[in-house]
Each structure stands twice: as C-alpha cells, then as structure tokens.
Amino acid sequence: MDQSKTPYFQALLNYVDAGVIPFHTPGHIQGTGMAASFREFVGDNICAIDLTPMPGLDDLLQPTDSVKEAQELAALAYGADRTFFLINGSTSGNQCMMMTAVNPGDKIAVPRNSHKSMLGGLVMSGAFPIYMQPEVDEDLHMDHCVTPETVTQTLEAHPDLVAVYLVTPTYYGVAADLAEIARIVHDAGKLLLVDEAWGPHFHFHDELPLSATAAGADLCINSTHKMLSAFSQCAMLHQTGSRVRVDRLAAVIKMFLSTSPNLPMVASLDVARKQMATQGEELLSRTIALARDARARINRIDGLFSFGEEHKGRPGIFDIDPTKVVVTVRGLGYTGYEVSELLRRRYNIQVELADLFNVVALFTIGTTSTAAGRLVAALEEISHGERPVDMFAPSGILEQRLHRGSFRLPKTPPMRMLPRDAFLAQTEFVAFRKSKGRVCAETIAPYPPGIPVVAPGEEITDETLSYLRLELKAGVRIQGPYDDQLRKIRVVKE
Ligand SMILES: Cc1ncc(COP(=O)(O)O)c(C=O)c1O
C-alpha cells in the first residue's frame, strides 16, 4: 500500500470539487448558513469539507471504501492487523477496549494510575478490577509504570483474570517494559490491553520507547491528537493477533461512534498517519533533539531539575519518552501550579500539565526552536526572580506533611462494591468532611493528571480525605465529582 496516499482526505476533496448541490447535514451547508464571524475565522475550506457520510464519502461505522483504505493504511503503518479511527479520543478507546475484552464480573488487572476513562470502561462493562500498584517514586513524587514483576504476581494471585490492562507511557513520559509484560501476559493465556494514549509517535522512531503494537498488545489506543497532528479528539484503536473477537470489537466501535462523525477530524487522522509514515523519522528526530537540548539547558538553571534518560532502569521506569520535558520546580520554592501560572501570566507560555512539584512541557513535531528558547529563558528568569514564601520550607505546610510522611499518593482504598454497582446504586450526598467510611459513588480525580484517588465502589478513608484536602488547598482542580469543590460527595445509601 502507498503510504503517501490519503484516501479519506482525497474523498472529501473530490466531493467538494464535484460541486454537489447539498440537501443534507450539517445544517450550515458547507458554510453558507454559518454565522459570518465564525466562518471568516475558521475559513471556507474547513466548512466545505464538514460533510456527512454520503455516496463517495464512505461510512466510518460500516467502512467499505475510502475509510476502509485509510484505516488499512494506518494499520500497516502501525504494524497492527486492524486499526479503527476514533473521534471521541482515547476516552472512548478505553471504553471500547473494555467492552470488547471483558464481560460483567470478569476480572481485569488495571494499574491504579489509570486515566479516569478506564473507570468509565469498568462501569460500562461491569468488570471486576484487580488494581496493580504502580511504582511510586518518592524523589520525584510521581507514579511510574507497573513492572513485569507486579504483573506476574497479579497473575499468580488471580489465575482467573481475563485480561491485563496497562497504561504506558504515563503522563510524564515514563514507559513500561512492554515486551516482557506482553510475553508474561500471553504465556498466561490472557489478553493484553494497552492505553498508549500518550505514545502515538513511538512506532515511528527508534529512539522512542517500543510501541504497543510492536510489543504485540492485543488491543491498544493512541491519542493521535495528543502528540501527532490530528485534530483534538482524534484517536486510533489498534488490534493485533487472534486473541480478541474482531466481530465484537467492530460491534462495540459501532455502538460508541456517532452516526454523524466530524469528517475533517477523520481526514486529519488520515493525514497524520501519512505524515508519520512518510516523514515521521525526520520530524521526530528534530523534536527529540530540541527536547533534549531544552532539558540540558533547564538542568543548568539553579533550582530546576528535569529527569531524563539517565533515570532508565529505576523502578517502574523501563524507558523514557524524551519529548515530554518534566521540570521539577520544587527547588525554587514554588509549586508546579504557581510556575505554570507565572509562565502564562508573565510570559504567555502555557504548559500541558502542572502538579504540586512539576510542570510538563510537551515537545511535539509542531514545537519550534523559538518557542523552546522562550520556555528556557522564562524558566531562567523565574529562577532569578524574588523567591516566594517557600511552601516547602521546614515550617511550610507541604514540608510538614512531607516530613510526617502523610503526603504520599494514597493507597488504593478497600473496594466494597463493583464500580458499576456503586455507580448505578441508590445514592445520596453527604458532607465531604463527614464521609469517612462511606462507599463512594463517584470518581474523584485531581486533574491533571486525572488519576482517581477514590473510585466508585471504594470506601472513603482517612488517608484519602487528608490527601484530597491537601490537593484542594494547593488549588488543584478535582474532576469527577458532581461538586468539584468537594463540599459534598455522592455516596451509596446505607
Ligand atoms: C493515559 C490517558 N488515557 C486516556 C486519556 C484520554 O484521552 P483523550 O483525551 O484522547 O480522550 C488520557 C488523557 O489525558 C490519558 O492521559
């Protein structure tokens, strides 16, 4: 197959060129009915290709023609047997993987530091989660990946597991030993599902971690929009081998996709695949070099630290994606949130993620050397500026917590009910401060990175309450609960 072709994008161009007189959705009719101010800004061309499945435009739900060819090209480029284009992100990818691989009550091993969309998959499928503890890095204050040893122990403790689900890389660009884990999982006769939302570029460069398709994952997902050039919400689900039922997967995808997909998004997936297949190595080489250079310069700034490939081999860090530049700002006395805010307010720079100790800058094929230089210069200036009242000083609240050992990513609370049963149970609101001992009916995930501290079906413990109080105090956004200020919390009625 010819990777320089973009069959789906071409199909849209052909439709426009044919000058078809449209009596069909979307109602803006190729921009004619669109508010002028919006149309002027977004441009005529995007309006012209915002169409709907029609003869000549194939159908994402039942592909037979240009979508089929575009997906086959993507499968070939990624070394998968089948690839499905998704238009609701890896969020829907996680839900589709679970709905394909597990039935109600089936056990599935999942890392605790999964994205909250994994919990959506558990609620929808009714599966029984067996949580695997990722490696916790006390120095960097972050979770890394699950190790092969943890996977082995989990399989031994739960021989009735149906599948193992992994997240790799993490939000911070740390990757698991996927080849070894794939071998262990497949030797045990189980399915391997991989949330590789942050690694859509891995397959296209030797200096990046091994991709999930190359490792032989049965199902894996990529957020093509995160690190490659597709529009937001665009993702791909890849399937390899003969362990999953392909008819079930196809049926699930049909259930999750809109019957009115946004066709420019679909075309952007087609074009992003071509870009990687034909120019990926060159574009990524430039990106990797830019990120490595920025990291080296940041590491020369007093008070800052950016971990890198020298950390490979530490627990849970099998490999590292160099395009994620994680800057630990604790040495400046600031929190990551504060530095993120300073970068935006003073320097007009927006980073991808901030947590208590770090900011994370993504370097992608779209990052320019000018932008990289601005980031480094801004961090340098911040480091020379007046230091804040140090939140981490011995009398500061964070340091006290760190020293008392009470600030730690909390342990997984006991699971009292299946996530699905708790989510669908009779529930009530109680005051957050009085919720200890109750069974939570919501997901509570400080965002970023969106890792649940409490999941539906789990008991609310003292440890989770104090951790969440700290996160709230530090100004972290809490995602998942109805009341995002966490004054009240939804629990299962007793
Ligand atoms: C590990 C992981 N999986 C899945 C998702 C969801 O991806 P999307 O935003 O493409 O729906 C995210 C989002 O940040 C993520 O970090």
Side-chain angles (χ1 to χ4, degrees):
M1 290 181 88
D2 181 356
Q3 291 287 345
S4 67
K5 284 173 67 184
T6 48
Y8 197 66
F9 181 38
Q10 191 56 50
L12 294 182
L13 295 180
N14 294 346
Y15 195 87
V16 173
D17 282 350
V20 177
I21 301 165
F23 284 91
H24 59 70
T25 57
H28 63 71
I29 309 284
Q30 294 179 292
T32 320
M34 192 173 267
S37 57
F38 187 67
R39 179 177 171 175
E40 265 164 38
F41 183 76
V42 298
D44 289 344
N45 288 341
I46 195 84
C47 298
I49 63 165
D50 186 22
L51 298 160
T52 198
M54 284 290 151
L57 294 178
D58 206 2
D59 183 355
L60 195 58
L61 278 80
Q62 198 78 43
T64 54
D65 184 18
S66 50
V67 172
K68 184 166 180 279
E69 196 184 342
Q71 293 189 147
E72 283 170 1
L73 279 162
L76 204 66
Y78 275 93
D81 287 334
R82 281 174 197 79
T83 292
F84 296 86
F85 289 171
L86 301 177
I87 46 164
N88 194 18
S90 287
T91 297
S92 66
N94 269 327
Q95 296 158 358
C96 289
M97 287 204 295
M98 294 264 180
M99 290 294 287
T100 302
V102 282
N103 289 321
D106 280 355
K107 282 190 184 167
I108 179 165
V110 294
R112 188 61 185 178
N113 58 341
S114 299
H115 185 260
K116 61 194 166 62
S117 55
M118 184 281 292
L119 273 162
L122 289 178
V123 167
M124 287 173 190
S125 66
F128 188 123
I130 302 294
Y131 289 107
M132 296 183 286
Q133 191 57 45
E135 294 303 308
V136 176
D137 192 322
E138 300 281 351
D139 289 343
L140 297 172
H141 293 280
M142 62 181 70
D143 288 353
H144 299 315
C145 293
V146 165
T147 60
E149 293 72 33
T150 301
V151 172
T152 302
Q153 284 158 13
T154 311
L155 284 163
E156 281 168 6
H158 302 276
D160 52 343
L161 275 168
V162 171
V164 173
Y165 165 99
L166 281 191
V167 181
T168 178
T170 64
Y171 213 149
Y172 300 92
V174 168
D177 185 354
L178 254 190
E180 180 61 6
I181 292 176
R183 189 192 61 71
I184 294 166
V185 172
H186 289 154
D187 281 356
K190 317 293 181 192
L191 295 175
L192 178 63
L193 320 183
V194 179
D195 176 346
E196 196 186 46
W198 284 104
H201 51 319
F202 285 3
H203 203 74
F204 302 99
H205 204 284
D206 285 350
E207 290 173 43
L208 295 173
L210 184 74
S211 70
T213 46
D218 299 286
L219 293 173
C220 72
I221 47 166
N222 288 154
S223 283
T224 322
H225 70 94
K226 286 194 195 297
M227 301 298 290
L228 298 180
S229 62
F231 280 138
S232 282
Q233 275 184 242
C234 289
M236 295 190 196
L237 190 157
H238 308 292
Q239 179 268 324
T240 309
S242 53
R243 292 182 195 85
V244 285
R245 261 183 51 200
V246 174
D247 64 315
R248 166 113 168 218
L249 171 60
V252 166
I253 300 252
K254 261 181 229 162
M255 202 159 67
F256 277 79
L257 284 180
S258 165
T259 48
S260 319
N262 179 292
L263 302 193
M265 282 168 63
V266 181
S268 80
L269 278 164
D270 195 20
V271 176
R273 180 272 313 154
K274 170 187 166 176
Q275 191 182 31
M276 275 302 108
T278 58
Q279 293 173 276
E281 193 173 346
E282 174 198 335
L283 293 171
L284 290 166
S285 290
R286 196 196 129 273
T287 309
I288 292 167
L290 202 59
R292 284 192 176 135
D293 176 63
R295 177 177 286 108
R297 288 159 67 197
I298 288 166
N299 275 327
R300 290 198 286 272
I301 301 174
D302 185 31
L304 296 182
F305 168 66
S306 178
F307 78 93
E309 286 152 283
E310 71 290 345
H311 274 56
K312 279 188 205 173
R314 287 170 50 143
I317 310 186
F318 180 75
D319 208 346
I320 284 186
D321 174 4
T323 68
K324 289 274 188 68
V325 178
V326 181
V327 186
T328 305
V329 298
R330 194 181 157 185
L332 297 181
Y334 282 117
T335 64
Y337 307 111
E338 288 167 328
V339 170
S340 167
E341 208 257 327
L342 279 175
L343 283 168
R344 178 61 191 270
R345 189 161 44 80
R346 284 201 204 145
Y347 304 95
N348 213 15
I349 289 172
Q350 181 60 56
V351 290
E352 165 69 19
L353 157 76
D355 65 22
L356 218 41
F357 303 103
N358 309 289
V359 292
V360 182
L362 294 191
F363 279 60
T364 77
I365 54 173
T367 307
T368 62
S369 56
T370 312
R374 293 269 297 266
L375 174 69
V376 176
L379 287 169
E380 174 128 41
E381 206 170 292
I382 291 173
S383 82
H384 293 315
E386 203 177 303
R387 299 281 168 106
V389 178
D390 190 347
M391 282 190 82
F392 302 98
S395 59
I397 109 165
L398 292 176
E399 185 67 14
Q400 282 176 28
R401 294 222 168 228
L402 284 164
H403 275 286
R404 277 196 272 127
S406 57
F407 175 71
R408 209 165 265 150
L409 294 160
K411 279 200 302 291
T412 304
M415 191 171 87
R416 301 275 181 238
M417 295 171 83
L418 283 185
R420 177 188 176 84
D421 294 343
F423 187 84
L424 300 176
Q426 292 269 6
T427 57
E428 62 185 343
F429 278 116
V430 294
F432 174 67
R433 65 197 149 75
K434 291 192 180 154
S435 62
K436 187 187 154 194
R438 302 295 299 267
V439 175
C440 194
E442 309 186 284
T443 303
I444 304 198
Y447 190 91
I451 294 167
V453 171
V454 191
E458 289 175 350
E459 185 180 318
I460 300 167
T461 63
D462 261 342
E463 197 189 0
T464 49
L465 285 175
S466 57
Y467 179 84
L468 286 169
R469 273 192 209 106
L470 180 68
E471 292 278 44
L472 284 167
K473 206 163 200 161
V476 181
R477 277 189 301 139
I478 306 287
Q479 280 203 345
Y482 180 73
D483 174 10
D484 60 8
Q485 299 302 308
L486 273 187
R487 285 166 301 236
K488 57 185 181 176
I489 188 165
R490 189 169 273 289
V491 296
V492 174
K493 259 193 181 157
E494 286 181 335

